[in-house]
Amino acid sequence: MNLGDAVYDADDLLSEFTTHVLQQKVMDGDKIVKKVRTFFSSSNPLVFGLEMARKLKAMRERLNDISNDRHQFQLKLVDCPLETRVVTRGRDQTHSFVPDEDVIGREKDKQAIIDLLLDFDVEDNVSFISIVGIGGLGKTTLAQYVFNDEKVQTNFELKISVCVSDVFDIKKIVEMIIGSTTGRKPENLDMDPLQNELRETLRQKKYLLILDDVWNEDSEKWYNLKIFLMDGAKGSKVVITTRSNKVVEITSTSSYFLEGLSRDQSWSLLKKMAFKKGRETINFNLEAIGMDIVAKCHGVPLAIRTIGKVLFFKKTEAEWSYIKNTKLTDVTELKDGIMPILKLSYDYLPSHLKCCFAYCSLFPKDYLINKLTLIQLWISQGFIQSSEENLKLEDVANEYFMDLLWRSFFQEAKEDRGMNMKFKMHDLIHDLAQYVSKTDCILVDTSAKNVKEKGRHLSFPFYNVSFFKENLSTLVKANKVRTFMLAYNEWKYDQGTIEESTLRKLISNFRYLRALDLHGLNMKMLPDTIGTLICLKYLDLSFNDIEVLSSSITKLVNLQTLKLCKCEKLRELPVDIQKMVSLKHLDLNDCENLTHMPCGLGQLTSLQTLNLFVVSKGSSKHCGGLLELNKLNELTGKIEIKNLAWVKDTTSEFKVANLKEKEHLSELVLYWNLEGYDGVHAKDDENSMDGLQPHQSLKYLEVVGYVGVRFSSWLSFLTNLVDLFINNCKKCQYLPPLYQLPTLQKLIILQMDGLEYMTDGDMNDEISASLASPSTFFPSLQTLWLCGCLNLKGWWRSVDKGNEATTTSTISSSTNHYHQHIPYFPRLSFFFFSGCPKMTCMPLFPNLEEGLRLEDGSLKALEETIEMNNRGGRASSFPSSSSSSSSSFSPPLSKLKLLQLTLELESLPEEWFKNLTSLKRLEIWSCPNLTSLPEGMSQLTSLQTLEIRGCPQLKQRCKKENGEDWDKISHIPNLEID
């Protein structure tokens, strides 16, 4: 009799009881007086009580039998003498993940790979290099280390990195390469157009491609991929990382065999992991023990890092000796290489982290795991507990996650605008997770043969809708399963639809599910049997064709997470949604056809995620207005409020949404629908916008289609705002002052037909601030877009010239006094300026680095910026944004790396190019009147790429060898002229 099974069953029994109590509360709250034909009948509590008593008695007897067996066979509970406690670590920035900046012991290896990459004396245009070594040596890390080297970056026009892994799917690899170079993933293309696009993308470009973690040993498959990669320019390189010597034989013209770290390098890495930063002296005996420990790691960085994080908590020689002498030789089941080391790192995890880590075996290798999804799954399984009533389980789970990340169980963290994180597990760590999870967690194979009757968590790492019908009889045997998860990275809508009868059978057999993932199955309706899953806490129905949810879903009183994102046909949410009293996360992202929010939504005061709120066009007893948002003050992350133009009494309804009290919101999108709206109530909107004031902690604000003439002044007081995006507000004439927002990094203004001035303020106010200290004028702004503002005349409405008021649009280049003191953006790195033909005066941008794009607009600001050197009112050069030193100066635009021009010019002025000493890429597009290039092109010593498109006269003059402008550009390595 298995204790683990008994504990699971006892937990199911407890859930059954607590769910009944919760359902009773919901029913009593609605004052429902009727017979409910379910097992948990509110009209017959006696039957339920008797049945529960019988089950509890049987469970007690079962646990007693297990206890008796322990005594009969003289089994003892063994305590680990050095069991790790839950510790709050006193290191800098607890749980703040910082990627390793320096890679210990790999400088020589790095240089050797770089030498191979920069060796262009080879026969073929494209050559192939393998980095080969055992798992955990750091092949991927070394490849990335080389990839990001400055010399490598400047020598290759295209830099691409893709992870190949176990399945060598040529089509998928081609799609990833194209996606990496174009920034968009090819959609629904057959192999022929795909390979054409790839070859065109690489044609005559010197490229560097990293193919990471290659396992394919089939030479024919390799050849079929290789032929698509051969169109690059001479000097192109493909770097392959692999554990297999056979892969090297069939793929590469040269190879580099990566070895383990030396003894001293291993000790340096162990010290970095095991001791606090800044510790200078280490006990001699402790160092001797450490040297013995690293010897067992065979120079493998992954093993050293993981054991180092275990040793971080051990301070004495006795503890280090115990690990060396006992634990490192204790693991007899795992014979392969460094696996005993990794198993030891698991053994020393606190117990609350062990189940969280083992659960991660449900994701296939190289799967990009979403942190928030994982946290919600952990919570659904009851892995996350908190003794503090005010501490959210999500915050506790985040601590668990960061702990595992810090201990090197997770890697390759990727932030998504700071709000989210995605990560992977190293292959060997994944092997460890599968080993320790044993039969509980099953990655189901394509034949379902590995499904065990006692399996508790099932994951399906492949996409095949018909699989579930074909293997139904096998799957339903695992009727105690708690997780049913679809863990495939990609799926397609032409694979058929899961049959309702199959889905109904699965649901009816898996009554103890805590997490059910049915995303991307092309479902048109959700069976009403969903209401029988009384323990369910996590339900993912994303990417389906559901139009209306079954009303039985409201019986799921334990449900905490409901994901409906990309259910583009979904029209409405359940009418009695308020019965889902445990709901915390309602993901409605991209549910484009939702018509309204249901009445009662506002009663779900535990809601933390509600990323879409739709205002209804008409009124109905089932349609909830903005009042539903009033008490939802636990909302976190993002919310988009759509159809604000349909709000009747804007002054009162906007205010009742109570956005000002939602301090945990970080992103807010306000959308006034433009379709069919005549703007009659524009004045009301203007007066009522005060009611939409968000909390001061907001970081991202997007306003689309607002029809008022002016924005509310609260915009100036969002002192934590990082991104501001304003689009298609046709009647808006000016904005409140934004220049003192301390954290604003990105400002995007698009399609503002009525905008005449960026601010209604006086330029002198901002001049005074700028002269006093540049750090007070847009101190953090890095990205600025001004596009499609046809009537934008200037940044400021007026300048106070004594008693005379002058609009900035009337200031001419002759009024030198004003030009001397026009403020400039101290940190602006990228500026996109398009479709603003009337703009005459704006702040200057001497410190651009990332790029400048000018399209069909006034050139006044560019000319003013270039002329900054020649004015007497300022220093002849300006502080560089890339330097923290106030004494670091550089000429205007001398740091600029990208310049793109789309202009109605016949010639490009020479003075534009005099300071562009860092320019790496110049793009000249759709300039039909441009007849020649300036002589100053030869001064662009850093220029690597010149792209000319849609310039027929210039194309003729730039013909190779005999074009009149050929000598001006022949020194540029990469020329793209079309």
Side-chain angles (χ1 to χ4, degrees), residues 15 79 146 173 330 446 475 688 704 795:
S15 293
D79 291 325
V146 169
I173 296 169
D330 233 7
T446 53
L475 294 175
S688 63
V704 182
W795 197 271

Side-chain angles (χ1 to χ4, degrees), residues 170 175 466 507 529 543 791 793 805 862 865 927 971:
I170 294 176
E175 288 175 340
S466 62
I507 290 173
T529 50
F543 294 88
N791 293 302
K793 300 174 183 177
L862 174 61
T865 299
C927 301
H971 67 285

Side-chain angles (χ1 to χ4, degrees), residues 737-913:
L738 304 173
Y739 71 96
Q740 287 185 310
L741 291 179
T743 59
L744 187 65
Q745 294 180 16
K746 182 181 289 186
L747 176 60
I748 297 180
I749 309 292
L750 303 179
Q751 307 302 320
M752 303 281 282
D753 291 355
L755 189 66
E756 296 182 351
Y757 301 96
M758 286 292 292
T759 175
D760 196 32
D762 191 305
M763 184 172 76
N764 278 346
D765 295 338
E766 297 181 22
I767 286 175
S768 299
S770 177
L771 288 175
S773 170
S775 64
T776 61
F777 183 79
F778 287 99
S780 302
L781 192 67
Q782 297 174 15
T783 300
L784 173 63
W785 288 36
L786 292 176
C787 301
C789 302
L790 300 177
N791 293 302
L792 186 61
K793 300 174 183 177
W795 197 271
W796 307 271
R797 176 171 288 276
S798 64
V799 173
D800 185 7
K801 289 176 57 181
N803 296 323
E804 179 185 354
T806 306
T807 60
T808 55
S809 59
T810 65
I811 297 175
S812 69
S813 59
S814 62
T815 44
N816 190 51
H817 170 73
Y818 296 104
H819 287 171
Q820 289 176 6
H821 300 296
I822 294 175
Y824 70 96
F825 298 107
R827 294 186 178 275
L828 193 67
S829 180
F830 181 85
F831 181 28
F832 185 12
F833 188 53
S834 172
C836 304
K838 297 181 180 180
M839 181 70 122
T840 58
C841 186
M842 68 170 287
L844 308 181
F845 37 87
N847 294 324
L848 293 184
E849 292 189 31
E850 185 181 343
L852 172 61
R853 294 186 178 273
L854 297 174
E855 296 181 3
D856 305 323
S858 168
L859 300 175
K860 200 78 170 175
L862 174 61
E863 293 167 351
E864 288 289 338
T865 299
I866 292 170
E867 288 301 313
M868 287 175 75
N869 263 5
N870 301 328
R871 300 205 195 100
R874 283 181 180 258
S876 60
S877 53
F878 301 85
S880 169
S881 61
S882 63
S883 173
S884 59
S885 171
S886 59
S887 62
S888 175
F889 291 93
S890 56
L893 301 182
S894 61
K895 301 291 185 182
L896 188 66
K897 294 177 181 176
L898 165 68
L899 176 61
Q900 187 242 301
L901 303 170
T902 303
L903 303 166
E904 294 289 330
L905 291 178
E906 294 183 4
S907 62
L908 299 175
E910 292 285 345
E911 58 268 21
W912 287 13
F913 297 87

Side-chain angles (χ1 to χ4, degrees), residues 556-600:
L556 303 179
V557 293
N558 286 309
L559 193 68
Q560 298 174 349
T561 299
L562 176 57
K563 294 188 173 184
L564 297 165
C565 61
K566 282 288 183 181
C567 288
E568 296 176 351
K569 296 183 179 180
L570 185 66
R571 299 195 308 271
E572 59 186 64
L573 296 172
V575 171
D576 292 326
I577 197 169
Q578 72 274 8
K579 293 180 179 178
M580 303 173 75
V581 291
S582 300
L583 199 60
K584 291 183 179 181
H585 304 283
L586 179 57
D587 187 350
L588 301 172
N589 197 36
D590 290 326
C591 291
E592 298 173 352
N593 278 304
L594 265 183
T595 58
H596 65 278
M597 308 310 285
C599 280

Side-chain angles (χ1 to χ4, degrees), residues 106-326:
R106 292 303 187 196
E107 283 299 327
K108 182 181 176 183
D109 302 300
K110 175 187 175 184
Q111 191 54 53
I113 300 296
I114 290 176
D115 290 343
L116 289 171
L117 291 180
L118 301 185
D119 178 13
F120 303 129
D121 187 20
V122 289
E123 185 175 341
D124 296 323
N125 282 0
V126 183
S127 50
F128 300 81
I129 302 165
S130 281
I131 302 175
V132 61
I134 63 170
L137 272 182
K139 299 181 293 297
T140 299
T141 301
L142 177 59
Q144 292 170 344
Y145 196 26
V146 169
F147 186 85
N148 293 317
D149 182 83
E150 189 173 346
K151 280 192 292 186
V152 172
Q153 288 285 314
T154 56
N155 269 279
F156 292 93
E157 183 182 353
L158 284 180
K159 280 80 64 177
I160 313 154
S161 180
V162 299
C163 179
V164 178
S165 199
D166 297 17
V167 181
F168 197 80
D169 184 332
I170 294 176
K171 185 178 180 184
K172 184 178 177 181
I173 296 169
V174 170
E175 288 175 340
M176 287 192 293
I177 295 173
I178 294 172
S180 180
T181 56
T182 63
R184 57 171 181 78
K185 183 183 173 185
E187 301 244 346
N188 301 321
L189 290 181
D190 292 331
M191 195 61 220
D192 196 48
L194 266 179
Q195 62 93 9
N196 284 334
E197 183 173 352
L198 174 61
R199 294 175 67 183
E200 184 60 34
T201 300
L202 302 180
R203 182 166 288 124
Q204 294 307 306
K205 294 185 179 73
K206 188 163 66 170
Y207 71 84
L208 169 63
L209 170 62
I210 307 287
L211 294 177
D212 187 36
D213 197 22
V214 176
W215 291 81
N216 169 62
E217 297 181 347
D218 186 329
S219 58
E220 186 173 350
K221 282 186 177 179
W222 169 250
Y223 176 78
N224 289 337
L225 174 64
K226 181 179 178 180
I227 58 175
F228 301 149
L229 305 176
M230 301 307 293
D231 289 325
K234 190 171 182 61
S236 295
K237 306 285 182 176
V238 178
V239 175
I240 297 156
T241 70
T242 183
R243 299 187 203 177
S244 166
N245 285 313
K246 188 170 182 182
V247 170
V248 177
E249 290 177 15
I250 66 173
T251 63
S252 303
T253 49
S254 57
S255 58
Y256 187 82
F257 289 85
L258 190 61
E259 297 180 350
L261 299 178
S262 70
R263 189 168 177 265
D264 289 340
Q265 290 167 344
S266 297
W267 172 236
S268 295
L269 181 56
L270 187 72
K271 283 193 297 183
K272 183 179 178 183
M273 298 294 108
F275 298 106
K276 288 183 179 179
K277 188 176 181 180
R279 178 164 174 172
E280 296 179 1
T281 59
I282 297 170
N283 177 286
F284 177 79
N285 292 333
L286 210 58
E287 180 172 346
I289 300 168
M291 283 293 195
D292 289 342
I293 290 174
V294 296
K296 296 173 183 288
C297 295
H298 307 293
V300 178
L302 178 63
I304 298 168
R305 281 199 303 270
T306 52
I307 194 65
K309 293 301 174 70
V310 172
L311 293 170
F312 184 89
F313 299 102
K314 313 303 173 189
K315 306 303 180 187
T316 68
E317 293 176 31
E319 289 175 312
W320 279 47
S321 292
Y322 179 80
I323 288 176
K324 185 193 81 167
N325 298 326
T326 305

